[in-house]
């Protein structure tokens, strides 16, 4: 069977997330390796009522094929919510099957084999796996207490430009970074955006965690500082509502 498998698939290796989830399924394991919310926080009674009402009363919509970009009702709800204070039109919002599908779509749309993606060192396992699947050249940038080391980033950008590499994007988790837990300072968020502008790079901002803050003042997402549309924001309800719904959106 292996002779039929694509070179891209053969190069991905085993999924670290899949191996983690195998362990978390064991009743005797409390795992800190994956970002699993406490199941007791899931609003199961409310979700059960909503699901029953929707299937019974709006079955022609909820059980039928829908718009690729996501339902008008949900996207309009996100517009009204004004996440992060962003003034959004519905045409700027794409509903995804969690942020993981968002990463997959970004790579499908922007990455050719050998393109460079800069990311934290360390960074989210699922992102690494997706970048590897699409044969991106991943360059890890060390983290400091206030976020990515931007001096190192600027140096690596210059090095890759000098040898003619195609530089595409910076992948960043600025809030409670996975797995380091670091939050990027406002000063570094602003500087990162300037670096991306100077090098003409996209920024893929992944935000699963900012709404889980318990102390301190919230910082603006990089997307709110974006002046020319180079930042694509991934936001998920997996940690806020239910992980199994696999519900997220891209801006």
């Amino acid at each position: 069977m292996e002779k039929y498998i694509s070179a891209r698939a053969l190069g991905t290796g085993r999924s670290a997330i899949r191996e983690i989830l195998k362990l978390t399924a064991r009743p005797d394991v409390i795992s800190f390796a994956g970002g699993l919310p406490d199941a007791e926080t899931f609003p199961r009674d409310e979700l059960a009522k909503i699901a029953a009402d929707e299937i019974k009363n709006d079955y022609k919509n909820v059980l039928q094929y829908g718009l690729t970009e996501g339902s008008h009702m949900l996207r309009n709800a996100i517009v009204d919510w004004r996440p992060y204070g962003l003034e959004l039109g519905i045409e700027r919002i794409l509903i995804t099957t969690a942020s993981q599908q968002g990463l997959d779509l970004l790579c499908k749309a922007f990455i050719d084999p050998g393109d460079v993606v800069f990311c934290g060192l360390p960074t989210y396992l699922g992102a690494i796996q997706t970048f590897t699947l699409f044969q991106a050249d991943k360059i890890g940038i060390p983290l400091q207490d206030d976020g990515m080391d931007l001096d190192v980033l600027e140096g690596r950008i210059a090095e890759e430009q000098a040898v003619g590499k195609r530089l595409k994007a910076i992948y960043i988790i600025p809030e409670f970074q996975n797995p380091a837990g670091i939050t990027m300072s406002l000063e570094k968020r602003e500087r990162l955006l300037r670096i991306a502008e100077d090098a003409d790079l996209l920024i893929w901002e992944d935000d699963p965690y900012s709404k889980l803050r318990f102390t301190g003042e919230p910082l603006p997402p990089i997307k709110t500082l974006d002046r020319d549309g180079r930042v694509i924001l991934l936001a998920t309800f997996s940690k806020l509502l239910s992980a199994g719904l696999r519900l997220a959106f891209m801006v």
Side-chain angles (χ1 to χ4, degrees):
M1 182 60 70
E2 187 171 314
K3 69 179 181 180
Y4 298 105
I5 298 175
S6 70
R8 182 177 63 247
L10 285 172
T12 60
R14 296 174 66 84
S15 168
I17 292 179
R18 185 174 65 232
E19 299 306 311
I20 289 171
L21 292 176
K22 284 180 183 178
L23 291 174
T24 61
R26 288 171 45 182
D28 59 326
V29 170
I30 300 174
S31 173
F32 295 94
L36 276 70
D38 180 359
E40 295 306 313
T41 67
F42 298 152
R44 56 192 181 277
D45 293 333
E46 294 89 341
L47 288 175
K49 181 179 184 304
I50 291 167
D53 288 345
E54 289 295 304
I55 291 171
K56 181 177 179 181
N57 299 314
D58 197 23
Y59 63 91
K60 290 183 180 180
N61 287 322
V62 299
L63 300 181
Q64 185 57 278
Y65 286 119
L67 297 173
T68 299
E69 55 267 40
S71 77
H72 279 292
M73 183 181 294
L74 179 54
R75 287 185 293 145
N76 277 321
I78 292 170
V79 169
D80 293 341
W81 178 33
R82 294 180 70 248
Y84 319 102
L86 289 168
E87 295 288 349
L88 300 174
I90 191 173
E91 74 283 350
R92 294 180 60 195
I93 298 170
L94 176 68
I95 304 301
T96 62
T97 306
S99 289
Q100 195 65 42
Q101 187 196 18
L103 290 170
D104 181 83
L105 292 173
L106 288 173
C107 288
K108 284 179 178 175
F110 296 111
I111 295 298
D112 291 313
D115 286 352
V116 172
V117 176
F118 299 95
C119 50
L121 184 63
T123 195
Y124 169 50
L125 288 170
I128 294 172
Q129 182 177 330
T130 304
F131 301 155
T132 301
L133 178 64
F134 285 91
Q135 299 170 288
D137 187 357
K138 307 172 295 294
I139 296 182
I141 306 299
L143 303 177
Q144 299 173 306
D145 289 343
D146 60 346
M148 185 179 283
D149 188 329
L150 298 184
D151 291 333
V152 173
L153 174 63
E154 286 187 311
R156 292 306 308 268
I157 288 173
E159 290 174 11
E160 298 303 312
Q161 286 174 330
V163 295
K165 296 295 289 288
R166 293 187 306 270
L167 314 186
K168 285 290 178 71
I170 303 166
Y171 171 70
I172 193 84
I173 310 168
E175 209 78 37
F176 312 129
Q177 197 260 10
N178 181 348
I182 291 166
T183 293
M184 182 178 247
S185 67
L186 177 59
E187 179 184 3
K188 280 197 169 181
R189 295 174 197 227
E190 294 170 339
R191 184 181 168 194
L192 180 71
L193 191 53
R194 293 195 299 270
I195 291 171
E197 290 169 351
D198 291 343
D200 196 19
L201 295 172
L202 297 170
I203 295 177
W204 297 342
E205 181 177 16
D206 197 355
D207 179 31
Y209 304 116
S210 69
K211 301 299 183 185
L212 301 178
R213 176 181 289 278
F214 292 105
T215 61
E217 291 299 317
L219 294 173
I222 301 167
K223 181 62 184 172
T224 64
L225 311 172
D226 184 19
R227 294 181 292 273
D228 58 359
R230 71 178 60 251
V231 181
I232 299 175
L233 174 66
L234 305 172
T236 181
F237 296 104
S238 290
K239 314 304 179 192
L240 304 177
L241 186 60
S242 166
L245 280 180
R246 313 308 297 139
L247 186 64
F249 63 94
M250 297 173 63
V251 178

